[in-house]
């Protein structure tokens, strides 16, 4: 793949995620106030966009509560510097099977929602961007499957598009990009699309550069992509994404450490990413520049 380095790069900060990390670091924000404060610090460090999950303020357990999303989004909208808001829609397709000797019935831990329920917080909050996990995959744990059927994705994509919210295609493997292209061809999403390449997530695309190059090659011309990897590979993938012509994502959703044995804050991870981007000779974009580049409109709910 020829070198096609980005010269202007937006940085997304994934602030808290949906993993069980709340007790692994004191820097994981829980309440809407804490998430908004982390967003402000990330913006001051150079982030143009924040990827937002919400958590129960008391326990830190991931939540899908509409009121928590609404409060969090309202707090972030009021921040200076300005930020593009990207809400998760990754919940609602979580299937936990029983052990191999008795896989059914599925566990009560499973959360399977309708397409309307999976985008209800998007309709309520009207962010600029929301995620669309564009495929089904085995996801880390022994008997957990992240399910996103083609029919479900078509309906969710159409709903997002009708709301005027840009889907961010979360591609965990090459087939997810194939399905994304099909959704655009069918008119469920508009071109040019926005893609997030999710590298190194068990058991999706491994984060070696050969696989990464294949993922980048699967993105149609004119589409915009960003990329990330996990843990200690988060910062190397900042450089890899820029060199491949993309944008970058960092944050505590994907990595808890700033260096070996030292827990990070979101702002520290953004600062490190900005340093890498600028050391490569690229310029970090503002939220306004990101909106102009992607044709986004900042709105407030009616």
């Amino acid at each position: 793949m020829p070198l096609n380095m980005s010269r202007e790069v937006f940085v997304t900060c994934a602030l808290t995620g949906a993993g069980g990390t709340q007790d692994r670091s004191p820097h994981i924000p829980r309440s809407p106030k804490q998430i908004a404060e982390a967003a402000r610090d990330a913006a001051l460090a150079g982030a143009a966009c924040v990827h937002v999950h919400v958590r129960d303020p008391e326990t830190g357990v991931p939540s899908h509560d509409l009121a928590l999303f609404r409060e969090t989004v309202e707090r972030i909208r009021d921040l200076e510097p300005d930020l593009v808001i990207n809400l998760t829609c990754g919940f609602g397709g979580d299937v936990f099977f029983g052990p191999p000797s008795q896989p059914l019935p599925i566990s009560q831990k499973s959360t399977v929602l309708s397409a309307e329920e999976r985008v209800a917080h998007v309709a309520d909050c009207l962010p600029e961007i929301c995620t669309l996990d564009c495929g089904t995959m085995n996801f880390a744990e022994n008997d957990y499957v992240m399910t996103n059927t083609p029919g479900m994705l078509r309906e969710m994509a159409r709903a997002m598009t009708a709301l005027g919210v840009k889907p961010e295609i979360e591609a965990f493997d090459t087939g997810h990009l194939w399905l994304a292209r099909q959704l655009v061809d069918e008119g469920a999403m508009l071109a040019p699309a926005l893609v997030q390449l999710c590298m190194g997530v068990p058991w999706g695309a491994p984060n070696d550069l050969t696989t990464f190059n294949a993922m980048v090659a699967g993105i149609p011309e004119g589409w915009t992509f960003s990329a990330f990897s996990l843990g200690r590979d988060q910062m190397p993938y900042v450089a890899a994404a820029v060199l491949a012509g993309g944008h970058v994502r960092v944050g505590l959703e994907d990595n808890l450490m700033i260096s070996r044995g030292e827990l990070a804050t979101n702002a520290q991870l953004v600062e490190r990413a900005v340093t890498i981007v600028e050391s490569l000779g690229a310029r970090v974009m503002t939220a306004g520049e990101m909106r102009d580049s992607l044709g986004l409109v900042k709105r407030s709910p009616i």
Side-chain angles (χ1 to χ4, degrees):
M1 185 180 73
L3 185 66
N4 186 31
M5 178 179 154
S6 294
R7 298 296 174 180
E8 295 189 331
V9 176
F10 61 75
V11 176
T12 296
C13 186
L15 297 168
T16 189
T21 56
Q22 63 271 13
D23 297 321
R24 292 174 56 195
S25 170
H27 304 305
I28 297 291
R30 298 184 177 198
S31 69
K33 181 176 184 291
Q34 290 171 341
I35 294 170
E37 288 171 347
R40 177 202 61 212
D41 294 344
L44 290 169
C49 177
V50 283
H51 176 52
V52 178
H53 295 249
V54 295
R55 294 176 178 266
D56 181 281
E58 298 300 323
T59 66
V61 172
S63 173
H64 312 145
D65 186 88
L66 282 174
L68 291 175
F69 271 111
R70 184 63 176 266
E71 181 183 350
T72 302
V73 168
E74 287 176 348
R75 286 178 176 274
I76 294 173
R77 275 203 177 99
D78 290 338
L79 293 175
E80 292 292 343
D82 187 25
L83 282 162
V84 174
I85 299 174
N86 176 342
L87 294 188
T88 182
C89 290
F91 56 84
D94 304 314
V95 178
F96 291 86
F97 291 92
S101 60
Q102 190 177 352
L104 295 177
I106 62 173
S107 168
Q108 292 184 350
K109 293 192 298 181
S110 301
T111 305
V112 181
L113 302 176
S114 69
E116 182 179 8
E117 290 170 318
R118 291 182 69 172
V119 299
H121 62 304
V122 176
D124 189 48
C125 297
L126 295 179
E128 291 99 323
I129 300 170
C130 64
T131 62
L132 187 70
D133 293 348
C134 215
T136 295
M137 63 178 281
N138 296 325
F139 201 108
E141 300 183 46
N142 282 344
D143 301 307
Y144 166 55
V145 178
M146 179 182 75
T147 61
N148 295 287
T149 65
M152 176 67 73
L153 292 171
R154 285 187 181 96
E155 190 163 338
M156 290 176 67
R158 290 189 183 107
M160 294 168 182
T161 302
L163 288 167
V165 178
K166 191 173 190 68
E168 181 186 69
I169 298 155
E170 306 290 287
F172 294 83
D173 218 333
T174 53
H176 299 180
L177 292 169
W178 184 6
L179 180 52
R181 294 194 299 271
Q182 180 66 25
L183 293 176
V184 170
D185 289 344
E186 294 173 359
M189 295 188 300
L190 303 177
L194 173 64
V195 176
Q196 183 72 254
L197 300 180
C198 310
M199 306 300 298
V201 178
W203 303 104
N207 65 354
D208 61 86
L209 290 179
T210 298
T211 304
F212 180 58
N213 288 341
M215 295 281 277
V216 172
I219 299 171
E221 185 176 355
W223 291 20
T224 299
F225 80 91
S226 179
F228 72 88
S229 189
L230 307 181
R232 65 183 181 182
D233 294 322
Q234 184 174 75
M235 292 305 160
Y237 258 82
V238 171
V242 174
L243 292 173
H247 304 269
V248 304
R249 167 174 143 174
V250 293
L252 293 179
E253 176 172 353
D254 308 317
N255 168 40
L256 298 179
M257 314 299 287
I258 190 65
S259 60
R260 187 177 180 88
E262 183 180 355
L263 292 170
T265 66
N266 280 298
Q268 287 175 321
L269 295 173
V270 173
E271 287 171 358
R272 181 71 57 84
V274 168
T275 298
I276 294 169
V277 170
E278 293 179 341
S279 70
L280 291 171
R283 188 179 70 83
V284 173
M285 299 167 69
T286 66
E289 291 169 334
M290 180 181 175
R291 287 193 191 93
D292 291 343
S293 174
L294 297 178
L296 306 175
V297 177
K298 183 176 182 178
R299 297 179 292 168
S300 294
I302 298 173

